[in-house]
Amino acid sequence: MVAPGLLIVRLTLATVLIAHGCHTLFGFFSGPGVGPGGLSASAAFFTTMGLSPGFAFAVLAGLVRLAGGMLIAIGWFTRPASAGIVTLVAIEAWRAQWRWGFFLNWMLEPTQGHGVEFSVLLIGALTGLVLTGAGDWSFDGRRAESAASRASARARLRTRG
């Protein structure tokens, strides 16, 4: 049951990452509680975090989330994509969320930001994918399976010769 479990984890993470990438790059899903989105608003946010130039960081963060989410969804280059997203989320947690503590701002207090709670969940799940890989039901799994098959065939040929 490992393969279906990893598929569910991958697809859940991919949904969240793709949605956040689209919000950062294109302003999709904008509204109350989420903010305006888009590159200009994201650039302003990264500038307030002290990451300059904010526009370049906004483009990079949006692309890492969107492309990384798509790669994780299909299970192709899952380990490097997950590692890249872990790095991005860790930087954002350190620069923007750490000062607000652990918990999300569930009451939506306007003077307080969100803590690291959501980022900790993302980092934990993505680190799990870095350590385990995408599983059998993925492009990475198929590639590993065919590589193992080729290696065992070569070993059989060597023992015969």
Side-chain angles (χ1 to χ4, degrees):
M1 297 305 288
V2 173
L6 285 172
L7 177 66
I8 291 168
V9 169
R10 282 193 357 254
L11 292 179
T12 303
L13 284 169
T15 301
V16 170
L17 292 167
I18 291 169
H20 278 264
C22 287
H23 179 73
T24 301
L25 292 173
F26 312 117
F28 293 174
F29 316 111
S30 297
V34 180
L39 282 175
S40 59
S42 298
F45 174 69
F46 281 104
T47 302
T48 63
M49 282 197 291
L51 300 172
S52 185
F55 188 81
F57 278 100
V59 170
L60 179 65
L63 288 175
V64 165
R65 283 189 183 109
L66 183 61
M70 289 177 176
L71 289 172
I72 288 170
I74 62 173
W76 193 37
F77 295 107
T78 302
R79 287 180 172 174
S82 297
I85 298 167
V86 164
T87 303
L88 172 68
V89 172
I91 290 170
E92 289 176 344
W94 168 54
R95 298 297 293 197
Q97 299 166 344
W98 190 257
R99 65 186 167 137
W100 301 111
F102 182 77
F103 294 104
L104 295 174
N105 183 1
W106 291 103
M107 298 299 156
L108 297 177
E109 294 291 329
T111 59
Q112 183 178 348
H114 292 291
V116 296
E117 181 178 12
F118 180 70
S119 296
V120 168
L121 284 172
L122 278 179
I123 290 170
L126 289 165
T127 302
L129 286 179
V130 170
L131 297 174
T132 63
D136 292 339
W137 294 358
S138 66
F139 283 106
D140 289 345
R142 298 288 294 164
R143 188 173 57 231
E145 183 180 293
S146 62
S149 176
R150 286 192 304 272
S152 69
R154 284 191 299 270
R156 280 193 305 273
L157 286 174
R158 274 183 254 149
T159 59
R160 289 182 186 166

